[in-house]
């Protein structure tokens, strides 16, 4: 089987997503085909042509599609030479992110984080573990000369997050977001071949906005499991207790907490855009997640900052087209 196996042949996409995929192909000046990513430059040992490499690529694509659908869509819209590496990085991020929710003891989580720290070190020694995400990550590193520091930062921050406690203040949430979401964006910029201080500055703010929004979006899920991670300083300011969120209350002081946190995400988004004229167009595909952030902030504002409102739980069916249009305009 050729290395450039199509997504449709693998049956990777659901019928609904595949119809969207076909639509994007029709309206895009360039084909948006994940399978084409296997045709980018080869790395040592011609791994992109081997059956094992095809399976590793498929594993990463399936993982990102099922656990980070918005990241999956944005990866589809990247330039051809960066798509496969983007999926590898997002699969790596998913693997780390899901550790916290999949363990019953912190010790187990620490062992998994140690595995990934060792894996990254081995990847940079050209000796990656025989594991699908590690294999694809190694390929991405060899193809784009990715910076190891950003990967290790993501691991270290996710490991600290295993303490399973609320953020003490908004600054702590921003630091977490910078070291995880912004670090991922720095790596995506490297996949795009962008080295620009203004693009890095935008990535920093967008990553912080994304981390804040993700914390808000996850609140109903974690509250149903009697866990609240919202910054304690904001909760204390409005005299909102963790029990208020666990009970799903919608009183004004609860909505005031959400308003303050959402406003900070909006501020970071505005900062990122304030110098967009200095960010090279080649960097903008890395920032397609801003469409997702805008969508959530608009919906939570429309719901009067009721983080439990049912409208916030529904996926926007127009999101793929909105992301495509943003990519076509080369803006963020």
């Amino acid at each position: 089987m050729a290395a450039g196996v199509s997504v449709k042949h693998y049956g990777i996409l659901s019928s609904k997503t595949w119809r969207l995929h076909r639509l994007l192909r029709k309206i895009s000046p360039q084909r948006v085909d994940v399978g084409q990513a296997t045709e980018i430059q080869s790395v040592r040992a011609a791994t992109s042509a081997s059956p094992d490499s095809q399976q590793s690529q498929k594993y990463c694509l399936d993982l990102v599609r099922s656990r980070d659908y918005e990241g999956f869509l944005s990866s589809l819209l990247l330039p051809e030479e960066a798509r496969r590496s983007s999926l590898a990085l997002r699969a790596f991020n998913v693997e780390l992110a899901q550790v916290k929710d999949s363990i019953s003891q912190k010790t187990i989580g620490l062992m998994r984080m140690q595995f990934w720290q060792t894996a990254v070190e081995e990847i940079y020694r050209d000796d990656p573990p025989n594991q699908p995400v590690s294999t694809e990550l190694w390929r991405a590193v060899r193809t784009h000369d990715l910076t190891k520091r950003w990967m290790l930062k993501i691991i270290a921050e996710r490991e600290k997050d295993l303490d399973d406690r609320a953020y003490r203040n908004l600054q702590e949430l921003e630091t977490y977001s910078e070291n995880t979401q912004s670090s991922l964006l720095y790596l995506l910029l490297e996949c795009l071949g962008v080295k620009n201080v203004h693009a890095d500055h935008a990535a920093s703010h967008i990553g912080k906005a994304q981390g804040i929004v993700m914390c808000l979006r996850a609140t109903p899920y974690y509250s149903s499991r009697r866990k609240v991670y919202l910054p304690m300083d904001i909760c204390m300011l409005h005299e909102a207790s963790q029990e208020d969120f666990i009970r799903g209350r919608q009183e004004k002081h609860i909505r005031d907490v959400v308003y303050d946190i959402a406003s900070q995400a909006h501020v970071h988004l505005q900062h990122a855009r304030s110098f967009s004229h200095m960010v090279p167009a080649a960097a903008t595909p890395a920032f397609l997640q801003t469409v997702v952030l805008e969508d959530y902030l608009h919906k939570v504002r429309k719901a009067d900052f009721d983080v439990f409102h049912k409208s916030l739980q529904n996926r926007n069916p127009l999101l793929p087209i909105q992301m495509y249009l943003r990519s076509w305009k080369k803006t963020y």
Side-chain angles (χ1 to χ4, degrees), residues 49 89 108 137 139 158 182 269:
L89 288 168
I108 298 174
L137 206 56
R139 181 189 176 283
R158 295 286 189 184
S182 299
L269 207 50

Side-chain angles (χ1 to χ4, degrees), residues 40-201:
I40 68 176
Q41 68 182 75
S42 61
V43 293
R44 289 183 183 179
T47 57
S48 63
S50 70
D52 286 346
S53 179
Q54 291 175 5
Q55 290 302 313
S56 296
Q57 180 188 4
K58 180 180 182 297
Y59 177 90
C60 289
L61 196 150
D62 284 342
L63 180 62
V64 176
R65 181 177 61 85
S66 63
R67 300 303 299 269
D68 180 14
Y69 181 70
E70 293 152 355
F72 168 74
L73 290 177
S74 64
S75 293
L76 287 182
L77 293 167
L78 289 180
E80 179 182 331
E81 63 274 10
R83 291 176 204 150
R84 183 170 175 178
S85 296
S86 171
L87 288 168
L89 288 168
R90 291 193 179 279
F92 168 67
N93 190 52
V94 168
E95 289 277 9
L96 294 173
Q98 64 187 7
V99 169
K100 183 175 179 177
D101 292 333
S102 63
I103 59 171
S104 57
Q105 296 179 340
K106 181 180 176 181
T107 303
I108 298 174
L110 291 174
M111 291 172 61
R112 294 187 185 177
M113 292 301 178
Q114 182 60 53
F115 165 82
W116 282 109
Q117 184 172 352
T118 302
V120 168
E121 296 291 348
E122 291 176 343
I123 283 168
Y124 280 86
R125 291 198 295 267
D126 279 339
D127 186 25
N130 185 22
Q131 193 269 353
V133 176
S134 297
T135 300
E136 286 296 290
L137 206 56
W138 172 76
R139 181 189 176 283
V141 168
R142 299 301 302 170
T143 302
H144 303 287
D145 192 25
L146 301 179
T147 302
K148 179 170 68 171
R149 179 174 75 257
W150 303 129
M151 295 187 197
L152 294 178
K153 268 198 170 187
I154 296 173
I155 296 171
E157 196 65 36
R158 295 286 189 184
E159 182 176 310
K160 286 195 293 184
D161 195 46
L162 293 176
D163 288 337
D164 200 31
R165 59 172 179 80
Y167 299 102
R168 286 175 292 188
N169 49 53
L170 193 53
Q171 290 69 38
E172 192 172 79
L173 172 55
E174 289 176 323
T175 298
Y176 171 82
S177 304
E178 166 71 28
N179 290 335
T180 54
Q181 302 304 320
S182 299
S183 292
L184 179 62
L185 291 177
Y186 299 146
L187 289 165
L188 290 176
L189 287 174
E190 291 184 340
C191 289
L192 293 168
V194 175
K195 294 183 178 180
N196 178 275
V197 65
H198 301 298
D200 289 344
H201 195 184

Side-chain angles (χ1 to χ4, degrees), residues 3 15 32 77 82 93 129 134 166 170 221 229 231 235 255 278 293 325:
S15 59
V32 182
L77 293 167
N93 190 52
S134 297
L170 193 53
Y221 169 82
Y229 298 113
C235 292
R255 289 184 279 112
M278 296 183 287
L293 305 183
L325 291 175

